[in-house]
Amino acid sequence: MSAVHVIGAGMTQFKPHPTVEVHELARQAAWAAIESSGVRPEDIELAYAGHAYQGQCFGQKVLLKIGMTGMPVVNCENACASGASAVWGVVNAIKAGQADIGIAIGAEKLASAKGGFTPLVADDLESSMGRVMPSVFSMMARKHMDRYGTTLDQLARIAVKNRRGGVRNPYSPWRDEITVEDVLAAPMIAEPLTRLSCCPVSDGAAAVILASDRVARRYTARPVEVRAAILASGIRNGVGMADDHSEMTIRAARRAYEVAGIGPEDVDLCELHDPFTIAELVHYEDLGFCAPGEGGRGVDEGWFDIGGRVAVSPSGGLLARGHPLGATGVAQIAEMFWQLRGEAGERQVPGARVGLAHTVGGGVTQIEAGATSVHILVG
Amino acid sequence: MSAVHVIGAGMTQFKPHPTVEVHELARQAAWAAIESSGVRPEDIELAYAGHAYQGQCFGQKVLLKIGMTGMPVVNCENACASGASAVWGVVNAIKAGQADIGIAIGAEKLASAKGGFTPLVADDLESSMGRVMPSVFSMMARKHMDRYGTTLDQLARIAVKNRRGGVRNPYSPWRDEITVEDVLAAPMIAEPLTRLSCCPVSDGAAAVILASDRVARRYTARPVEVRAAILASGIRNGVGMADDHSEMTIRAARRAYEVAGIGPEDVDLCELHDPFTIAELVHYEDLGFCAPGEGGRGVDEGWFDIGGRVAVSPSGGLLARGHPLGATGVAQIAEMFWQLRGEAGERQVPGARVGLAHTVGGGVTQIEAGATSVHILVG
C-alpha cells in the first residue's frame, strides 16, 4: 500500500472573524496550502471538507471560490474530530487509488451571531439542564484531582505552557503570556475551570495537501509521511462512567502506535485535543506519554514542554491557538507539517522527527457517542 | 488493488414515519443489512453514515443503538448524494486497508414537523424568491421540450413506468398504478410538472455491508462487486446555464465506464436519480443510454422498461419509492444487490448482471455547487 505524505499546509488565524464568511476563511486556508505545496490547483483530484455547522455542500462552495470544480468532494462531520476525519478520508482515498493528490479542508465559524455550539442538540435534556462542555470537563477535573491528587496549580501550568506556545504562533490571536496566578484568578466558568482553563470560541480554517508516494517528491524534497491514520468511535468516558479517561483515545493511540511501528517514547511532538486544561492532562495519560495518574507530576517536571519527553501543543493547542471545530484537526496536521520540516519559527521543537496529532469529538448529548482520531507523522 | 463487494443490504419502507425517530429507522436498516449478510456485528470494522439534516455524530448514535461502538465512523453530507458518498467512503477505506468489512448507512427524516428541505439555505435569496427544486426542474423540462420536442406525454410515461416498479416493491409505499392521464391531471406543482411528476417527501433509511475480496466469499457465494465507485462535483446545469444536461453526471459516468471497462450498452439495470420526471429523461442521455435529445423517443419505444435496452429504476426510483435524501444513494446500492442476485421479487429484471447507480446532489442555492455519484456493480 502506497504511503501518503503531507506536501503543503495553510491556515487562517484562529480568532473571531466577524466580517469574513466561513467559505472565504476556508478559501484562504486552501489557497495558502496550495501555494505552499507548489501543486497546480488543477492537479488536485479530490477533497474532503470537515465542519460541524456550516451547511450543505460546504466543500464544493469553498472550492468553487477558487475555480476548482469537478473533483470528488465529501463533506464530513465528527463534531470536534471533523477536520481530522477529513484528513483520514483523503488518506484513504489516495491509498485506494482514487487520486494522487488531495486536499483536506477544515473550517468553522462559531463566534458569529449565527454560530454557537451549546447545547449541541436543541432538544437535549441534559444539555438544557447544564450538562454542557465546561461542566462535563469540570467534573472530569474534580474526579482526577480526587483520585490522583492532581492540583489546581498543575492544571493551571498547562494553560501557561500552551499560552507560551500561542504567543509564539502567528496563527494564534494571543500576544501576552500568562501566569499560574492569572489562570487561578480568572473568572470561574465551571469550578474548578476558570476562563483561562478553557479554549476560546474561534472562527478559522485550515487545509493540507496530501499526495501519494508516487508523486509527493515531484513537489517537495521534504514530504512529511502520514505513517498512521486512525479513527475510532465510542463513548466519551467522564462523569458517570467507570473511568475519567478517554477509552476511545487509548484504543486509537494503541492502534496508531502499532500501525506506525513506534511507541509513545518515540514521539517528539504532539498536537493534543485540549479544549480544557484537564483534557490535556488526561490525554497525556491516554496517549501513553506517562502512566495514569502521573500527568500532574509530568507537568511539574516539564515532561511536556519543549525540551521535555514530548513537546505537547507547541502551537498553543486548542487552549491558546483556538478551536474552530472543523478546522482544528486539519490545523494539527498543518502544524505537524511545519514542525517536522523545521519551519515552525519561534515555536519550533528542535529536531522534531515524529509527531502525533489527536482529536476527540462529540459526547455531551443524551447519547454519548463520539469520535477520536490519532495521526502519526514522520518528517 | 483489492476488489470490494456488497454482501448484505437492508432498508426501511420509504414513507412518512411520523412516530419513528430517524436513528431508529437507520438502526432498523443497519440491522436488516447485517442479518442479511451473515456478518457478526462485531466483525464490522468501519462505518460511513450519509445524511443531510440529522445532527451531529449521527452514525455513532445509530450504531450505539445496536451495541456497535469503537469502529471508525465518518458522517458525510453531499445533499442528495450523501448516501452514495457514504458508500464511496467505505469502498475507499476498505481498499486502503483500513478494514475488511464496513457498513454504509444512509437515512433522512424529511416528513416530520422539524424536517423540510426548502429552501436549502435560510438566507438564500434565490430560494426565498421561488427558485426551489420543483421550479428549477420545471424550467429544465421546458428547455428540453423546446430544444428537442420532448412531450408532456413522454414525461408522464416516466412517472407511470416508475410507479409500476414502486407498486411491485415492498419498500415503496405505493400500491396503485397510475396512468398518463392521472399524471397530466394531477395538481400542478411547477408547470409543466404535476404532483405525480415529482418525488414524494419521505422518511427512511438504507444500509449495505461491504467487504474486501479477501473475506467476501466467507459470507456469501454470490457477492456483488463494486466495479467502479466514482464521485464528482461541479455546477448543476440547468436554468441559466449553457446546457440543460448534467455535466457532472456525464463526466462521472464516462469515468465509471472507463474504470469498469464497460460501456452504457452493457448496463442491464440502472437506479437513476429521478426526483422529477424530467430529471430521469435528461439523465438517460447523460448516462449514455441514448443520444442527447433521444430520451423522449426512448420512452415511447420502451428502451428503459424491463425488457428494453436498460431497465431504469425498477424499484420505483425516487419518484415511486421515495427520496429521503441521505438514504437514497444507499438504497440504490441495496437494490443493485438484490437485483443482481435475482432476489428482487416481482420487480426483478430478468438476467440482470451489470447495474449502475446514479445520484445528483445540491444545486439550488446561490452558489450552485453539487455532487454526483456513479457506481457500477457486477453480480
Side-chain angles (χ1 to χ4, degrees), chain B residues 63-240:
Chain B
L63 293 168
L64 193 57
K65 281 170 104 54
I66 41 180
M68 294 164 65
T69 62
M71 76 180 88
V73 180
V74 176
N75 301 287
C76 67
E77 183 277 323
N78 254 332
C80 299
S82 296
S85 299
V87 173
W88 186 86
V90 174
V91 168
N92 287 339
I94 290 175
K95 288 197 174 192
Q98 289 274 5
D100 277 311
I101 302 179
I103 186 169
I105 302 170
E108 211 78 51
K109 202 159 161 63
L110 291 175
S112 73
K114 289 167 62 185
F117 65 110
T118 305
L120 291 171
V121 181
D123 58 355
D124 177 6
L125 182 62
E126 291 184 347
S127 292
S128 67
M129 294 182 73
R131 193 168 185 274
V132 293
M133 288 287 178
S135 56
V136 168
F137 283 90
S138 76
M139 292 187 277
M140 187 189 291
R142 275 286 166 215
K143 200 163 186 178
H144 205 277
M145 291 166 73
D146 181 59
R147 199 210 288 213
Y148 298 116
T150 302
T151 66
L152 293 177
D153 183 89
Q154 288 165 342
L155 290 173
R157 281 167 190 254
I158 292 173
V160 172
K161 168 183 72 68
N162 290 3
R163 178 65 75 89
R164 195 181 305 131
V167 166
R168 285 158 179 76
N169 183 353
Y171 297 106
S172 159
W174 307 109
R175 292 296 157 258
D176 296 311
E177 299 212 13
I178 53 176
T179 64
V180 166
E181 293 67 35
D182 292 335
V183 178
L184 296 176
M188 189 59 70
I189 300 296
E191 201 275 325
L193 302 175
T194 64
R195 193 162 67 195
L196 291 173
S197 316
C198 310
C199 67
V201 174
S202 308
D203 305 331
V208 294
I209 310 294
L210 292 143
S212 70
D213 214 31
R214 197 168 75 80
V215 308
R217 284 181 183 74
R218 291 184 201 164
Y219 299 97
T220 175
R222 302 175 62 198
V224 170
E225 185 185 346
V226 182
R227 194 65 70 84
I230 303 300
L231 193 64
S233 66
I235 317 270
R236 178 190 281 278
N237 289 359
V239 180

Side-chain angles (χ1 to χ4, degrees), chain A residues 306-320:
Chain A
I306 292 178
R309 285 188 182 185
V310 48
V312 175
S313 297
S315 69
L318 284 61
L319 282 169

Side-chain angles (χ1 to χ4, degrees), chain B residues 22-35:
Chain B
V22 66
H23 302 94
E24 169 59 16
L25 291 173
R27 184 200 66 76
Q28 291 171 11
W31 193 252
I34 292 166
E35 284 204 313

Side-chain angles (χ1 to χ4, degrees), chain A residues 153 156-157 160 178-186 194 196:
Chain A
D153 184 87
R157 281 166 190 255
V160 172
I178 54 176
T179 65
V180 166
E181 292 68 35
D182 292 335
V183 178
L184 297 175
T194 64
L196 291 173

